[in-house]
Amino acid sequence: MTSTPSADRWIGYLNTVLLMVAGIIVVAPTLWMVLSSFKFSHEVTAYPPTLFFTPTLTNYVSLWERTPFIQYGINSAVVTSASTALGILLGTPAAFVVSWTRITWPAIVTLLARMAPGTLFLLPWYLMFRQIDMIGSYWALILTHAVITMPIVIWVLLPFFDNIPRSIFEAAQVDGCSPIRVFYRIALPLVSAGLSVSSILAFVFSWNYFLFALVLSNSDTKTLIAASFNFIGEGSTNWGALMAAATLIALPPLVLAIIVQRWLVSGLTLGAVKG
Amino acid sequence: MASIRIRNLVKRFGNVTVIPDLSLDIPDHEFVVLVGPSGCGKSTLLRILAGLESVNEGDVYIGEERVNTVPAAKRDIAMVFQDYALYPHMTVRQNMAFALEMRGMSKAEIEERVQKAAKLLHIDGLLDRRPKALSGGQRQRVAMGRAIVRDPKVFLFDEPLSNLDAKLRAQVRAEIKALSQQLRTTMVFVTHDQIEAMTMADRIVVMQSGVIQQVGSPEEVYEKPANMFVAGFIGSPSMNFIPARMTDGEICLEDGVSFPAERLFPVRSQAIEAGQPLTLGVRPEHFLFAPDDPAAFKAQVSLVEPLGSDTLVHFTAGGIDAVARVSPDLRPKPGDVLPLIPAPNKVHLFMPETGEAIC
């Protein structure tokens, strides 16, 4: 069946409109957040919202003056980088083994762990880490965040490993490779795009994860996302500072995504389509 | 270089028995082709030799070593895969050197071997390319190079020509044959293409449903097929099978056409009892055009396939449909009647119930 040129043109218009609507829905809250970070607190909640205003850096200055923001940033970087590395370290061989053996239940278990609400783990973990005197340590946060990063790594990498023709692994075996060598000499270089995609996704999810850091950290190890909660008070909320903090927190994943945008998109599709 | 011995091999996948009980000897230096239709177990057998599939029962020996539990990496065999299985992230040089690196060979020796194999296969100009920058034929050569650079005990080929076009396939076929004569290494080649089997093999192993139907030289399996399966599988177009009966020294077809048995198979006709039902097997190339022979039957031409060097004629005679290969000079047309007769001593006889060849 073929469509007429005018029908094609209308479908093109419709696509453009739908994409614009989707773009507005996605970008509007971010834009509102960024603009609000340059407003005074009372302007943030003003109704109707003010589109034209005199920008101020007060929120950013107060963020620096009133909180150890750099320290929180370092904490976030340490926890996120380490949990991402741990997720990659454990998740990559796990995904390879699941793909190699075609035994999928371990992957499903990790997915269930990822899908379960964080509160399910929170109390047992709190008790466990308190027992071993690790509450407030980086390790408590890194280990718990690996529950978020590892399933992401496994499930992003699985189709990448599945798409490598099995005969390549078999050729490596015939060439004298043990299964471990097949993994790091053959399989790993062939899923480099998947590794970058899963690293970025794991980094973003860990960076933004709030709950574990709120409960398992202390003032020395508090992450940015948990620290931003300080601006929400019982009586009043410092919306301007909160928006400034949110803007700064959103920056690293955003910059990361922009830098590797092309790789990210091609990686996400390559994993699913046989080359 | 090594011989291969397989004794009472059984292979099952779950409840399905793919190879029920197989024994085979492949002497050192021999080029053996495993041939059979899809699902006959030939690739499974090759993978068992490679160590990529386990054995349920029986023994597999490479040389004097029982290799049932020896992993693929330790068998010192080389395998060329159907899809070549080149490492996409490595250059041709790295692909060929990989197995040697795994053995811990020195860089100088690796380079020497790679260069030698590359020259042999005319791929020395491609060594720094990645597989994606190669044509199908070049990839096939690299896969071969990766195998021969190792100087293994045994070469295994799993339908390596099936992804090539017809012209390239014929060329590579000849090259593999020449290579086998040059290298003098034991080679096991799997194919479903009987032309590949006939042209390359020292011996052909014809398989069906995991059972060896016949083992023999290409001439043996063509000229003396053990049963109707082998007779039908080897040769293109397939052998014609014609139901018949022996009566009073004559071979009678179902529709009254008859030939003097003495003339078709003078020796074997003695062994056939009168009234015995038979299946005649006549290859298309063994029908003779015999306009002056009173014993010739009249073949009603239904379809003509000119091949250039000769012409395939589909015909009907005596209630049967058959194919004959005739000279293109005859220029037959559909509807023509050709006087044909099976060539003396080229007619095969089979038992209709068992399919086994008689004598």
Side-chain angles (χ1 to χ4, degrees):
Chain A
M1 205 172 92
T2 55
S3 53
T4 61
S6 77
D8 281 347
R9 201 167 59 235
W10 281 108
I11 289 169
Y13 290 150
L14 188 67
N15 277 344
T16 309
V17 170
L18 287 174
L19 278 172
M20 283 173 71
V21 170
I24 289 167
I25 291 169
V26 171
V27 171
T30 312
L31 201 63
W32 185 81
M33 174 187 79
V34 175
L35 290 177
S36 298
S37 72
F38 294 104
K39 290 178 180 177
F40 290 104
S41 266
H42 66 274
E43 283 178 308
V44 176
T45 51
Y47 187 84
T50 49
L51 280 177
F52 301 100
F53 59 94
T54 312
T56 174
L57 288 174
T58 311
N59 296 320
Y60 289 94
V61 172
S62 75
L63 209 60
W64 245 256
E65 285 176 348
R66 287 171 49 196
T67 62
F69 200 80
I70 298 287
Q71 181 56 46
Y72 293 154
I74 291 169
N75 292 345
S76 274
V78 169
V79 170
T80 303
S81 304
S83 65
T84 301
L86 193 62
I88 292 282
L89 205 67
L90 299 175
T92 309
F96 175 69
V97 170
V98 168
S99 173
W100 175 286
T101 60
R102 306 201 194 284
I103 300 170
T104 50
W105 69 261
I108 292 167
V109 168
T110 60
L111 185 67
L112 290 177
R114 175 69 192 92
M115 289 167 82
T119 46
L120 198 73
F121 306 103
L122 202 57
L123 186 61
W125 273 350
Y126 179 79
L127 294 173
M128 187 183 86
F129 285 122
R130 198 182 62 178
Q131 201 74 31
I132 54 178
D133 200 24
M134 277 179 72
I135 294 286
S137 70
Y138 280 137
W139 276 112
L141 292 177
I142 290 165
L143 291 172
T144 52
H145 276 221
V147 171
I148 299 152
T149 57
M150 197 172 72
I152 292 168
V153 172
I154 290 175
W155 281 91
V156 169
L157 284 180
L158 254 179
F160 282 88
F161 283 122
D162 285 345
N163 276 354
I164 301 173
R166 213 169 172 75
S167 57
I168 290 182
F169 296 152
E170 289 173 345
Q173 283 180 286
V174 170
D175 274 351
C177 280
S178 64
I180 292 171
R181 267 193 169 155
V182 173
F183 170 65
Y184 73 83
R185 288 295 305 267
I186 305 296
L188 212 52
L190 294 178
V191 297
S192 53
L195 277 175
S196 68
V197 174
S198 57
S199 305
I200 291 158
L201 292 178
F203 185 91
V204 171
F205 277 86
S206 173
W207 180 268
N208 291 334
Y209 206 77
F210 173 74
L211 189 63
F212 298 154
L214 188 71
V215 178
L216 299 174
S217 65
N218 62 18
S219 55
D220 291 334
T221 55
K222 191 157 278 185
T223 60
L224 278 176
I225 197 93
S228 65
F229 195 58
N230 289 345
F231 297 109
I232 301 173
E234 275 188 27
S236 66
T237 297
N238 186 349
W239 287 107
L242 188 61
M243 290 302 111
T247 302
L248 290 177
I249 291 168
L251 270 180
L254 200 67
V255 169
L256 207 61
I258 289 169
I259 290 171
V260 293
Q261 185 191 21
R262 188 179 290 266
W263 210 1
L264 190 72
V265 173
S266 66
L268 282 169
T269 50
L270 266 176
V273 181
K274 216 165 184 124
Chain B
M1 277 138 284
S3 60
I4 295 171
R5 272 187 301 144
I6 302 167
R7 288 285 172 274
N8 305 108
L9 176 75
V10 178
K11 177 62 189 171
R12 299 183 200 96
F13 290 111
N15 294 327
V16 180
T17 303
V18 180
I19 297 173
D21 181 8
L22 187 143
S23 295
L24 179 67
D25 283 303
I26 301 173
D28 198 3
H29 304 317
E30 193 171 60
F31 193 136
V32 164
V33 175
L34 307 179
V35 67
S38 295
C40 71
K42 57 190 187 298
S43 284
T44 304
L45 181 58
L46 195 81
R47 291 171 59 80
I48 287 171
L49 291 177
L52 299 172
E53 296 287 353
S54 60
V55 172
N56 292 106
E57 289 173 39
D59 298 304
V60 178
Y61 295 88
I62 295 178
E64 293 307 311
E65 188 186 8
R66 183 177 178 272
V67 294
N68 285 36
T69 53
V70 177
K74 307 266 184 203
R75 290 197 182 191
D76 193 15
I77 45 105
M79 185 160 171
V80 179
F81 290 80
Q82 187 173 7
D83 60 357
Y84 316 136
L86 301 177
Y87 309 126
H89 58 299
M90 296 183 190
T91 61
V92 170
R93 178 182 271 106
Q94 289 166 334
N95 262 281
M96 290 172 72
F98 186 72
L100 305 180
E101 276 176 38
M102 291 297 105
R103 285 188 193 176
M105 203 172 272
S106 73
K107 281 189 176 172
E109 193 176 352
I110 290 174
E111 183 59 22
E112 188 191 326
R113 282 200 188 200
V114 168
Q115 289 292 350
K116 192 177 161 191
K119 278 198 179 73
L120 191 69
L121 293 161
H122 311 294
I123 51 171
D124 38 339
L126 309 173
L127 288 176
D128 294 318
R129 288 202 203 166
R130 294 263 168 107
K132 68 178 176 186
L134 302 175
S135 68
Q138 288 169 332
R139 286 180 199 187
Q140 208 280 338
R141 279 163 205 271
V142 175
M144 294 273 297
R146 194 171 64 174
I148 65 172
V149 79
R150 293 178 46 188
D151 191 18
K153 282 183 190 165
V154 176
F155 281 108
L156 305 175
F157 297 85
D158 189 5
E159 305 204 32
L161 308 184
S162 57
N163 289 338
L164 303 179
D165 62 53
K167 192 177 172 191
L168 200 55
R169 198 180 308 160
Q171 184 189 332
V172 177
R173 204 166 61 204
E175 286 173 3
I176 293 176
K177 176 80 177 173
L179 207 62
S180 77
Q181 286 165 355
Q182 201 172 338
L183 297 173
R184 303 287 297 145
T185 307
T186 312
M187 295 188 176
V188 185
F189 190 105
V190 159
T191 181
H192 62 267
D193 183 339
Q194 51 94 19
I195 295 173
E196 281 175 22
M198 293 292 287
T199 50
M200 290 197 289
D202 293 332
R203 276 198 310 159
I204 293 177
V205 177
V206 186
M207 292 180 69
Q208 185 195 22
S209 306
V211 177
I212 293 177
Q213 301 294 317
Q214 187 171 1
V215 182
S217 68
E219 295 78 15
E220 275 170 351
V221 292
Y222 178 79
E223 288 169 7
K224 292 178 185 171
N227 54 40
M228 285 173 68
F229 174 79
V230 176
F233 194 81
I234 299 293
S236 178
S238 288
M239 183 183 279
N240 300 292
F241 294 114
I242 305 163
R245 190 174 291 276
M246 176 74 116
T247 50
D248 293 335
E250 295 232 309
I251 295 287
C252 295
L253 308 191
E254 282 182 343
D255 210 25
V257 175
S258 62
F259 310 100
E262 282 286 336
R263 185 162 168 194
L264 294 185
F265 25 82
V267 180
R268 284 177 289 168
S269 62
Q270 310 301 321
I272 305 162
E273 292 173 18
Q276 184 178 336
L278 303 165
T279 298
L280 298 190
V282 186
R283 295 198 182 279
E285 50 273 35
H286 294 152
F287 279 112
L288 302 177
F289 177 67
D292 302 327
D293 193 330
F297 63 90
K298 289 178 173 43
Q300 178 89 35
V301 177
S302 56
L303 180 71
V304 176
E305 292 181 89
L307 301 177
S309 58
D310 39 34
T311 299
L312 297 180
V313 173
H314 295 248
F315 66 88
T316 310
I320 55 112
D321 294 318
V323 182
R325 189 188 292 269
V326 298
S327 164
D329 298 337
L330 285 177
R331 300 192 184 282
K333 292 186 290 297
D336 285 357
V337 174
L338 296 180
L340 297 176
I341 190 163
N345 267 333
K346 294 292 184 185
V347 175
H348 301 264
L349 295 177
F350 301 98
M351 297 296 288
E353 305 85 28
T354 60
E356 295 298 313
I358 300 172
C359 326

